[in-house]
Amino acid sequence: MKRLGIALAIVSAILVIGGLSFMSYSAYLSYATAKSPTPAPSKYDVGPPDAQEMLELVNAERAKANVPALTYSKPIETVAQMKTDDFHLRDYYSHEIKGQADGYWLTPEMKAIAQPLCNSYAENLTSAATSRETVTRWMNSTAHREAILDPTYITTGFGISEGKGDWYYVSEHFCVAK
């Protein structure tokens, strides 16, 4: 009987140790095969483009070039939004206003808002799905990059309007203040 008790104790010990080893191995497999969580995308990489986000990205580019940050202007934003809405409503994409033979890129209504504030202005246009994509496209274009980094421009405003699919018309207007 004593031998039977010892045999049962040995078998029980083997089962317990084997079970623990199996549990540890199962835990290891679970850990080893688990996918690490995908980091959340940056706010700059989630659409649609956002004026505050684009201002942050543009000013980061200006800081890299030792150019003072742009300040945001609601009236300049209004002009940029009017232009961007015009793209959307009249289905064109150009610095020049559709249907104006004189080549102007601001309507008389837009000029009435901008001229009291600005000696001169400039405009960046693109179509993009996110804030980062917008600024990246501009920085990859010589003329657009030069406008972003031009220290004579001190104020800006953005216009954003729905495009086709998941992209948007985006314009940035710059102002050399009076």
Side-chain angles (χ1 to χ4, degrees):
M1 189 65 149
K2 189 174 180 179
R3 286 183 190 200
L4 180 61
I6 292 172
L8 286 175
I10 291 172
V11 168
S12 295
I14 291 170
L15 289 174
V16 168
I17 292 170
L20 289 175
S21 294
F22 177 75
M23 287 174 38
S24 296
Y25 182 70
S26 295
Y28 166 77
L29 281 179
S30 177
Y31 171 79
T33 59
K35 293 181 180 177
S36 57
T38 304
S42 164
K43 68 180 182 177
Y44 305 113
D45 298 317
V46 177
D50 176 81
Q52 180 60 41
E53 293 172 6
M54 290 185 293
L55 180 64
E56 291 168 11
L57 292 168
V58 164
N59 279 336
E61 294 295 338
R62 288 173 68 94
K64 289 180 202 173
N66 294 317
V67 177
L70 293 165
T71 58
Y72 204 77
S73 166
K74 282 295 197 182
I76 301 304
E77 174 190 88
T78 299
V79 173
Q81 190 63 54
M82 290 169 72
K83 178 72 176 276
T84 310
D85 288 344
D86 198 48
F87 294 153
H88 175 72
L89 295 172
R90 299 194 309 141
D91 196 30
Y92 73 100
Y93 181 71
S94 172
H95 291 287
E96 294 179 6
I97 301 287
K98 184 177 183 176
Q100 284 193 246
D102 57 13
Y104 288 121
W105 60 274
L106 294 179
T107 64
E109 296 82 14
M110 294 174 197
K111 286 181 186 177
I113 296 168
Q115 281 183 335
L117 305 171
C118 306
N119 279 326
S120 63
Y121 10 81
E123 173 182 72
N124 279 350
L125 307 176
T126 195
S127 57
T130 68
S131 299
R132 187 181 317 275
E133 182 182 6
T134 300
V135 175
T136 298
R137 286 178 182 219
W138 287 333
M139 292 306 292
N140 288 335
S141 160
T142 301
H144 294 101
R145 182 177 56 256
E146 287 172 355
I148 286 173
L149 300 179
D150 187 332
T152 62
Y153 298 129
I154 61 169
T155 59
T156 194
F158 296 94
I160 304 159
S161 188
E162 288 186 30
K164 297 174 182 159
D166 65 348
W167 58 267
Y168 297 79
Y169 292 114
V170 184
S171 64
E172 179 178 20
H173 284 206
F174 300 93
C175 174
V176 174
K178 286 188 172 186

